Amino acid sequence: MSDISKNKIINPVLPGFYPDPSICCAEGAYYMVCSSFAYFPGLPVFKSTDGINWTQIGNVIDRSEQLDFSGCGVSEGLFAPTIRYNNGKFYCICTQIDKIGNFFVTADNPAGPWSLPVRISDAPGIDPSLFFDDDGTAWYVGTRPAPEGVKYNGNWEIWVQRIDLDTGKLLGQSKGIWRGALRDCIWPEGPHIYKINGTYYLIHAEGGTGPEHAVCVARAETVEGPWEGKKANPILTHRHLGKDAGVVYVGHADLVQYTDGTWWLCCLGSRPYGSNGQRYSNMGRETFMVPVKWEDGWPVASWQSGMVEHAYSPDGKIASVSEAESDALVEKTFDDFTLGAPLAPYWLSLRTRDSAYVRSDKTIGALRLYGRKSVHADRDVNIVARRQTAFSYSAWAKLKVHFEQQGDCAGIVCFQNEGFNYRLQIVLSANSSSGLCIQLVRSCGADDEIVSQQDLHSTADCSGDSFVVFKVNADMQKLSFEYGCSQDDMKVLAEGLDATILSYEKAGGFVGSVIGMFCTAGDEASECYADFDWFIYENKKEPWICPVA
């Protein structure tokens, strides 16, 4: 994320694929976590000392012994974490779909290390949260199918039960407390309970994760209720704005009070872009902040407009963003992979990161990736990637390869999921007169398609023993791919390609697009590898939301 200091909250506060945010205040600082699904390390942790500027300080799941993601699709894995602080200890509770289910981990320092998971084996459903009451009791808050039988898809309820945090065991009887603000609500989820001035409040999402997503509130005199909803629910949504809204899918919120007494909601939303009525969200669901004030014992979100705005002053009023501030937010990162240095915390791998296959100590100033399985596989894939954080961007990589078997390949990848991606790669191929060729491969829900191919020897001065530079340019929903022996001598391999296949509207699932490096072995016996000298990512200056064409 950008290190530029701001004096106002500018949305999205976490641009790119950072969904399901949860926030807490601890000892004068603020901490936020987000869903990461099957990416590793998982559950990124951000810190802010002013509630405005956020820096990633680590990841909750950063060791393979904590969780196993093998066999998980990219949109499986870790759903909807909650971070809380109580009596000097941090708690992060989450769901690992199709594996251990609901669990929590603890840490003395939110930067880590976090503990091994404590499984809550008798907690059905998803989206768990923790609530610590004044009397010292701890409560599990979750969502589950309607116990009497699900009458329609999404017929779930929010429920509570006391929990022993030493053992992870639930205590006493569970109780369903809420089924959503609207009649026949679908997917009441992401529940969080707070006690404010002696009253219990429940913030939750409903309506599903798509266009009908919304944030609602209820309150009660006891944790177990009865609960009443605010008559003006939902308190935050963009579903009434239609498909041309600049921010869509707004929901899944968490409430926090800043040390100056102001109240804020973090929430998710997506910024679609495209033209001619075809709008897609390549960056996935991002994290936004909106101010909250209290009226008649109820929260009112973004009270001046009722919508997620681009910027707010610290007192919660809508603010403008100057050209200089906009320029300062343009992200540019240069990773030169210093010998032996750990990867920056924003780098992601798919399911795991095995130090035997991802090395920064093999050669000076390069990241070495050894070949593993195809990006389509459900395990043993070697991708190191970072999130797309703007509509338009450029990404460069300089690499050199060592191949042994036909089909060995390496390069850069624009990855949405296992079936939807672009790969600009060097490959050892019997169909190339030089043995090595450069290919652009597109996967769009079916078999791979070679969009363009060029023998490597035809690139001046480049050979298998030399570094090659790859580049991808994203201009809104059009992609171009270039190659060359240096940044000053690049040739276009393909251009004008459709980037909408990297959106979850087309690809399905819950994640956003990432861009990075990969290496694939053509045969299990191959010990091929690629040395990446550096990787550059740079956003292009543009409006914060995409105008409708």
Side-chain angles (χ1 to χ4, degrees), residues 104-421:
F104 69 88
V105 291
T106 63
D108 296 324
N109 183 340
W114 291 77
S115 70
L116 295 176
V118 177
R119 186 179 183 184
I120 311 169
S121 57
D122 47 353
I126 60 172
D127 288 14
S129 182
L130 290 173
F131 169 63
F132 298 95
D133 208 343
D134 297 340
D135 60 4
T137 57
W139 293 81
Y140 179 97
V141 188
T143 65
R144 65 186 179 190
E148 75 278 7
V150 173
K151 297 179 181 179
Y152 54 87
N153 191 32
N155 179 202
W156 282 41
E157 70 175 8
I158 295 170
W159 62 285
V160 297
Q161 192 170 353
R162 287 182 58 196
I163 184 171
D164 181 343
L165 291 174
D166 291 326
T167 65
K169 296 294 185 182
L170 297 179
L171 307 173
Q173 297 297 313
S174 69
K175 183 172 183 179
I177 62 169
W178 193 246
R179 296 201 176 181
L182 300 186
R183 181 179 298 174
D184 296 329
C185 161
I186 63 169
W187 305 119
E189 59 189 6
H192 300 299
I193 290 178
Y194 322 83
K195 192 173 187 179
I196 304 169
N197 296 328
T199 299
Y200 296 85
Y201 288 88
L202 169 69
I203 295 286
H204 70 96
E206 63 181 62
T209 59
E212 309 302 320
H213 211 25
V215 180
C216 296
V217 63
R219 68 185 181 187
E221 294 183 2
T222 70
V223 174
E224 294 181 297
W227 290 81
E228 63 166 332
K230 185 180 182 181
K231 292 181 180 180
N233 272 322
I235 61 170
L236 185 66
T237 187
H238 280 201
R239 62 189 181 193
H240 59 296
L241 301 179
K243 296 180 179 179
D244 289 339
V247 181
V248 296
Y249 312 153
V250 171
H252 202 108
D254 200 0
L255 181 68
V256 67
Q257 185 179 25
Y258 282 3
T259 55
D260 64 0
T262 59
W263 290 85
W264 295 84
L265 278 175
C266 64
C267 66
L268 64 76
S270 293
R271 293 180 293 163
Y273 58 111
S275 59
N276 300 320
Q278 301 298 313
R279 291 163 62 78
Y280 302 93
S281 307
N282 293 46
M283 289 174 286
R285 296 170 297 162
E286 307 175 278
T287 290
F288 300 79
M289 297 288 291
V290 299
V292 169
K293 70 175 182 177
W294 294 85
E295 291 183 352
D296 303 321
W298 290 106
V300 179
S302 193
W303 59 86
Q304 288 184 289
S305 68
M307 298 185 296
V308 176
E309 298 288 350
H310 188 190
Y312 300 95
S313 60
D315 63 1
K317 294 180 181 178
I318 298 172
S320 60
V321 178
S322 68
E323 184 174 352
E325 288 171 323
S326 180
D327 289 346
L329 292 172
V330 174
E331 182 180 8
K332 181 175 182 179
T333 57
F334 175 74
D335 290 85
D336 61 358
F337 307 122
T338 304
L339 176 65
L343 288 172
Y346 52 75
W347 284 109
L348 299 169
S349 293
L350 194 51
R351 304 180 190 91
T352 189
R353 182 178 296 158
D354 190 332
S355 60
Y357 295 93
V358 180
R359 306 287 294 270
S360 60
D361 59 351
K362 278 288 184 181
T363 185
I364 294 177
L367 179 69
R368 178 166 292 183
L369 302 185
Y370 286 87
R372 305 209 77 188
K373 292 183 179 179
S374 159
V375 300
H376 306 302
D378 64 4
R379 67 196 68 217
D380 301 333
V381 175
N382 206 356
I383 289 176
V384 177
R386 48 149 302 137
R387 294 163 176 85
Q388 177 185 341
T389 55
F391 302 127
S392 302
Y393 65 86
S394 294
W396 305 66
K398 182 179 179 181
L399 68 152
K400 180 168 61 175
V401 300
H402 170 82
F403 290 159
E404 296 185 345
Q405 305 283 344
Q406 296 294 317
D408 289 349
C409 62
I412 60 176
V413 59
C414 299
F415 188 84
Q416 213 290 330
N417 64 29
E418 297 89 347
F420 289 80
N421 51 77

Side-chain angles (χ1 to χ4, degrees), residues 53-66:
N53 299 280
W54 294 89
T55 301
Q56 188 173 357
I57 59 173
N59 295 276
V60 174
I61 305 301
D62 62 0
R63 308 184 307 282
S64 59
E65 62 265 28
Q66 287 176 292

